[in-house]
Structure formats: structure tokens, C-alpha cells
Amino acid sequence: MTSMISEAGNLPVAFTSFVGRRHLIAEIRRVLGPARLLTLTGMGGVGKTRLALEAAAASRRAFADGVWLVDLAPVREPLAVADAAAAALGVPELGARPALDRLTGYLAGRRALIVLDNCEHLVDACAELAQALLSAAPEVRVLATSRQTLGIAGEHVLVVPPLSVPDEAVELLRDRATAVRPEFRITDLNRAGASRLCAGLDGLPLAIELAASRLRTLTVDQAVDRLEDRFTLLTSGSRTARPRQRTLRALVDWSYELCGPAERLLWNRLSVFVGGFTLDAVEGVCVGEGIARHEVVDLLDRLVGQSIVLVIEQEGLPRYRMLETIRRYGRLRLAESDEEQRLLTRHRDFFLALAEHAAGTWYGPGQQQTLARLRAEHNDLLAALNHGGDPQAELALAAALRYHWCADRYLGEGRRRLDRALAGAPEPTAARARALWAAAWVALLQGDPAAADEWLTEAAELGDQLDDPTVRANVLGFRGTLALFRGNLAEAVSLFEGAVAAHTALGEEATTVFWLFQLARTQAHLGDPRAAETARRAVAVSQAHGEGLNRAYALWALGLDALVRGDLAVALELTRAGLEIQRDFNDYVGAALLLELHAWISAAGNDHERAGRLLGTVRTLWRDTGTKLSVFGPDLAEHHARCAESVVRALGPAAYEKALTEGSRLDRPGRGIAFALTGGAELAAVTAAAPSPLTQRERQVASLVAEGMTNRQIAAALVLSPRTVGGHVDHILAKLGYGRRAQIATWWAENQVPDPSE
């Protein structure tokens, strides 16, 4: 499969066609109307995941806020289930709240379908997650796949049967065999053999796909003969196992034995990757002692041809993956060898080198690609951190991932990993010094200045002890950030100036952009005339080194200074330039700051409706980050309050609330940026695409409210009690965020769009 990230979902798009089971897709969609939790159960290899993905993709139009896949196969700890779900949905980890709280807060009020895939090894944690999501978000549906049910109230269960034999099963065999042998056909001569082969495999899609790969070199009858012989050999010692369990294991055993020695060796070694892998990762981890580097591409190609390895695309990057059943089989084989620990160490060392390269080249071109690669490798990065045996390596890796933690959406994970690594490696090393100031950065962004102060104090002492000038320079800078966030602006200026001078003296000019934009922002608040010059210097340094993300922040600082000076045209131009850069990132904080500034400029220019909508957007973004604007300094909160007061005075409370509600629909950085840059086209598109948040009965009530009917008149028209109608009206007001019946009439007139769920 290949993964194609859409704005409202992350479902993989398959390279292969979907065969049969259209009636099951229809049944899943039918059940997911009234039901809120549906679990697809069945044995391994029966195709639960593919069926869930196809049904979810077919249901996209009914879920305005997205259809999201949460792949739990790489997750091993129950406590990490909510983190995995939050990461899959793109919920940022910028605050200190637990993942489950962030996730439920994010989904409250949204209409989305969540696919929880591979729940069986974490069934209790998955049940708790599903229960929490469904309790917090009435418009959310959950589609789970598991070998056992979740066992919570309201769960509907659909047992996924094997493919029908011969119809669906033989069609799948034909489809997959044609992919590896284009001239293959099902004829009168081989039709009976194909049926026997599929029947022998009990119609299991995984088993059929593996068998089909063998038809590149075998006839159907040869495959049947070899498979039947293999079953006799393998099942003689396990008569108590269920036939289908024997079939699947036997099929994988058979496929393994048919691989050449080098192919088997690579299969084993690839099993250390838990979240897919790239060619360079294979070459970095799996070569040597039986596999030469120049052999890797050919061996991978052979494993792809045998359906052992799948070609995918993730975060826009070409990658490979193994089905979890296949990967676990390889891991068992690897554990039987004497090289498991060596491979795991090489796996950790590869990802440590990858992370250190990302950190070392951060202030330069390719930041978007760097973040995309780290996101794609997230599960393997966590596995590398869990390797054990070398606390200093774990510390170094946790620190090297600082831009993954802080410049993307993984602050909560970063905080946990850095805290654990620092606790496990107390020795006064260079790795600890780096981890200390990285941990301080995370704590600052989470709004925890006390922890940041503690980490920076130790980092300063260790920097002096090790005589490490880079550590001292970073401590100076982050002490400046700490002072800024606490409102100690004069102190912040001095510290930022010291950090810039220290990095410049070390020949680390590119790094100065991080401190320069913060210095400019502080100077702007103080009314210092040097603010614009400082911000322009930050932009120039960023451009000179091909850096992007901090340039957007520098443009924000420059725009803020222009706003303070009253130059609205320049402020707007700079803000739009910063937002153009932010299009390429998924930076909630940066997008929210720039959109806040855009709102302030709009209000100052008397475009109050636009300002109100932008404030609605940033309200949603700040809520989803789990942090507040005030964390970044009290002056920003003052600007926000003045802007909101201005909009309320100009529009009135009701219109202000309406603008906020409309803006809140732009609930991701990309949507908010598109609205700011396109003059409202994005808002219109989101409004048109969104199904009504009201139930069918609530829409009936809303239409009659819009006609001016009282509750008693509506009750008579719909044959309901006035009390029931009153309850419906209360629910409508709550869902729409309104306080008066007249607002329902306005909403009804503006939202005559058919609900695609009907």
C-alpha cells in the first residue's frame, strides 16, 4: 500500500485492487450509521485491515472532519495507545496534558471516523480509548479491527469471514498472480486446481496473496502439490491447533522455505523495523555477514515480488513495509539466531545517526523534508529509544530529536523521553548537557518555566565543567526565552544579545536566527527602534543559509513591530509572507502566532468580521495545542484582548460569536493559512463540505424554529411533547454555539446544504 495524506484523513491508498466483499462494505457503512462502535473480528490474515480501510474510504463524505487510521501494530505498551491515536490524527503535543485529554478535547464537536487497527494485543487499552472517545465526542464513530472484541457497551461486532471459494478467492488469486505474471489466466485447465488451492488456504486473503506470488515460477497444480505436502509435514505435530491457524502458519513457513538463503536472512533482519523502512535504512542496518550492500536492492525486489515486502509511500517518501504477521514471523526467526542483539544495536545506531544529522543540519535547507522523514520514522525512533543497554546513547538520541519534539507535534513524547533519559544517565557528559537544554526548551513550550529553570541551571554548571561553549551559548539563549515568557523583557534582551554574540564567535551564524527573532520580538514590545533592524538581520541570516521555519518567525516579529508602529500595510505584507512559508510545515504554534497577528492587523484596519473569524481559527489551534498564547509572553495576551474587544464593539456579541464559530471550522494550520491567504475561499469550501452537525430530527426542529414557530406549535406539527421540543432546541443551540433562537433562524438560512450522511 501507499499512504496518501489528505487534509481530512490519513488513510493509505492501496496499489492493489480490492477484490470482492462489496456486500461487507455496504454492511459496515449501514451499521456505522446508528452504531458508534463497530469491531471487525476474525483470524489473522482474513483481511480485516484492508476491509476496514476500504469501508472507511467509502464513508469519507459522511465525516467532514476526517477519516483517520490509527495503526496499533507497532505499539507495545498500553499507555502508548492514546499517544499513537493522537499522533495519527495530527493532534499536536505542545502542552503538558495527557494524550487522552488532548485527543478527547480535539474530537469534541467534530464529526470523524477513527479506524483502530490491530487492537488484539492491547485490547483493554483500546477499549478504554474507544470508550473515552465516544463519551467525549458524540459525532465520532470508531471502526476497530481485532481478533477479539473490545467488550464495551454499545459495541457492534461483525465477524469477517474468509473469501468465498471459488468465486472471490479465485478472483483474488487471479488478480494477484497477474501482477507478477501478466500472462497468467484462469482457464478450464487450471480452474479446478485454483479452486483446490484456495480451498486449501481456507479462502484467507493473506495466504492467497502469498501463494499467488509463487505462480510466477510454478503452475497452479505444482503449487497445490507443494502446499499439500508442506501441510502434511507441518501439521502432524500440532493436531490440537485449529485448521485455519495451521494453514496460515504453514503458508508463511512454506513461503519462508521457498526463499533463498539470502532472502531469508534479509527477511529476518528487516523484522527489526517496526514502522516501515527506507532503502538507506536497510543498507545501514541489514548488510554484512551474508548480505553485501550491492545485493540489497535485488533482494528487496525479490521479496516484493513474493509479497513479503510491500512498497508504500508515507509522508511523500518512498518506503517499504511488511505485514505485521510477516514481520513477527521474521522476528521469531531472528530470535532463533545469534544476531538479534547485534541487529537491534545497529538499528539504534542508524537512527541515532539519522537524528544527529537532522539536528546538525537543521539551520539550512530541507527542514520540511527533515521533519517529514522523522515523522515517517517515528515508531522506529521510539523503538530505538527503548533499545536499552546504553543510557548515554538513549540520552544522545533523545537530545538529537529536539526538532522532532519541538518543531513538529511531539512535545509530550519529547518531555517523557528526555525526562526518562536524563534520569537514567546522570553522569556529567556532553550528551547530558545537550539533553538538559533540549529538555528546558520542551518545558518552556509546555508552559513549565520552573522545570526549564531547573534544567538550565544544571546545564550551565555542566557546560562550565566540560568547558563547552556551545552549551553555554544555548543556556544563555534559553534563559532569555525564560525571561521573556515571564515578562522580564530587559533581562531577556541582554540574554538574547549574549547568545547571538556567543554563537557568532563560535562560527555558528545560522543558529543565531533562533535568538534574533526572539530578540526582535522582545524589542518590539519595548518599543525599541532597533527591533526592525534585528528582525531584518534574522531574515537575512535565514535566507543566507536556506533556512525556512525560523524565517517565518522572524517575519512574524517584523510584522509585530510594524503593527506596534502603526504601519498596517507593511505588517500585513510581512504576515502573509510568513504564512506562505508556514504552508510547508505543520507548525501549530507558528501558524497560530501569525494568524493571531493577522487578526490584530485586520481589526486595526476595521475588517472586523475577518478578524473575528481568524480569532475563531486561532482559538481552535491554541486549544488543540494544549497551551495558551499567554505562555509566550503577557504582551501577546494583551494584544489579543484588545483585538477581541474591538471586534465585539464593531460587530456586537452575536455576530462576534458567529464569526468565531465560522473560523473554528478551520481547525488545522493549513486550513487557517489558506483562509488568510485566499480571502475566504477556504472557509466557503469547508462550510460547503461539512454535513450538518444536527441530527435529522434536530434539523426538522431548526427549520420550524426558522419559520418562527413556538415550542408548542412545533410539538403539534411533529407530534412531540413541548418538553421534548425544548430539549431539541437546547441541543441545537449547544451544537451551534448560540444563545438565542433567532440565531438558529440565521444559521438555517445560511446552511441549506444536503447532509451527505442522509
Side-chain angles (χ1 to χ4, degrees), residues 348-408:
R348 182 204 62 204
D349 291 346
F350 174 84
F351 286 103
L352 173 58
L354 178 71
E356 289 185 330
H357 177 75
T361 59
W362 174 251
Y363 291 100
Q367 288 175 325
Q368 305 97 314
Q369 292 84 354
T370 294
L371 292 176
R373 175 71 187 269
L374 295 178
R375 280 195 301 271
E377 305 290 8
H378 183 72
N379 287 322
D380 276 281
L381 291 168
L382 298 187
L385 283 166
N386 289 333
H387 175 266
D390 187 349
Q392 288 297 320
E394 180 182 345
L395 196 63
L397 178 54
L401 288 171
R402 53 190 175 272
Y403 300 108
H404 183 53
W405 309 137
C406 296
D408 214 321

Side-chain angles (χ1 to χ4, degrees), residues 21 23-25 27-28 31 38-44 46-48 51 143-149 155-163 242 244:
R21 294 185 162 174
H23 65 291
L24 285 178
I25 291 178
E27 177 65 9
I28 291 168
V31 173
L38 173 61
T39 301
L40 306 184
T41 65
M43 62 173 299
V46 79
K48 299 183 293 294
L51 179 60
L143 177 60
T145 74
S146 177
R147 296 188 193 184
Q148 64 181 107
T149 61
E155 179 182 25
H156 287 63
V157 177
L158 178 63
V159 178
V160 179
L163 295 173
R242 286 181 290 181
R244 286 177 180 160

Side-chain angles (χ1 to χ4, degrees), residues 382-667:
L382 298 187
L385 283 166
N386 289 333
H387 175 266
D390 187 349
Q392 288 297 320
E394 180 182 345
L395 196 63
L397 178 54
L401 288 171
R402 53 190 175 272
Y403 300 108
H404 183 53
W405 309 137
C406 296
D408 214 321
R409 58 183 187 230
Y410 299 105
L411 271 186
E413 187 73 60
R415 180 71 180 269
R416 289 188 294 275
R417 296 294 176 165
L418 283 162
D419 284 353
R420 190 183 80 170
L422 286 165
E427 298 80 11
T429 62
R432 182 172 181 83
R434 286 192 298 274
L436 285 166
W437 62 256
W441 185 15
V442 170
L444 283 166
L445 292 177
Q446 285 190 314
D448 190 352
D453 199 357
E454 179 183 344
W455 293 133
L456 289 172
T457 297
E458 184 183 348
E461 295 170 353
L462 192 50
D464 289 339
Q465 182 180 341
L466 298 173
D467 192 23
D468 189 328
T470 298
V471 170
R472 287 197 290 261
N474 281 295
V475 169
L476 271 177
F478 283 115
R479 283 216 172 279
T481 306
L482 179 61
L484 169 62
F485 286 7
R486 284 175 165 171
N488 302 326
L489 303 184
E491 180 187 358
V493 167
S494 176
L495 290 164
F496 287 139
E497 289 175 339
V500 170
H503 281 292
T504 301
L506 291 168
E508 300 171 351
E509 183 192 45
T511 307
T512 64
V513 67
F514 187 63
W515 311 118
L516 283 168
F517 89 75
Q518 296 185 73
L519 174 59
R521 167 256 195 281
T522 311
Q523 290 171 331
H525 180 48
L526 289 170
D528 190 326
R530 298 175 298 171
E533 179 186 350
T534 302
R536 282 193 289 268
R537 180 182 169 190
V539 171
V541 170
S542 173
Q543 288 176 325
H545 292 275
E547 194 272 348
L549 189 59
N550 288 288
R551 192 189 324 159
Y553 282 90
L555 290 166
W556 166 74
L558 200 54
L560 180 62
D561 177 68
L563 174 65
V564 170
R565 290 187 288 101
D567 194 339
L568 299 186
V570 170
L572 181 59
E573 180 183 354
L574 293 165
T575 302
R576 289 176 64 86
L579 288 168
E580 286 285 0
I581 294 172
Q582 280 282 348
R583 277 182 184 269
D584 295 327
F585 293 91
N586 189 42
D587 178 13
Y588 275 69
V589 169
L593 289 172
L594 281 159
L595 291 169
E596 278 271 7
L597 180 56
H598 202 321
W600 305 341
I601 296 166
S602 298
N606 295 317
D607 190 350
H608 294 101
E609 186 172 5
R610 184 180 188 81
R613 288 170 170 170
L614 287 167
L615 289 178
T617 298
V618 296
R619 181 176 68 176
T620 300
L621 295 181
W622 288 126
R623 182 199 69 196
D624 291 344
T625 62
T627 188
K628 299 177 181 178
L629 178 65
S630 58
V631 166
F632 302 92
D635 60 310
L636 300 185
E638 293 168 7
H639 278 292
H640 178 93
R642 285 196 296 269
C643 176
E645 291 168 3
S646 171
V647 176
V648 171
R649 281 196 306 270
L651 300 182
Y656 173 61
E657 288 297 327
K658 179 175 181 291
L660 286 177
T661 300
E662 290 173 346
S664 69
R665 296 173 183 168
L666 306 169
D667 55 358

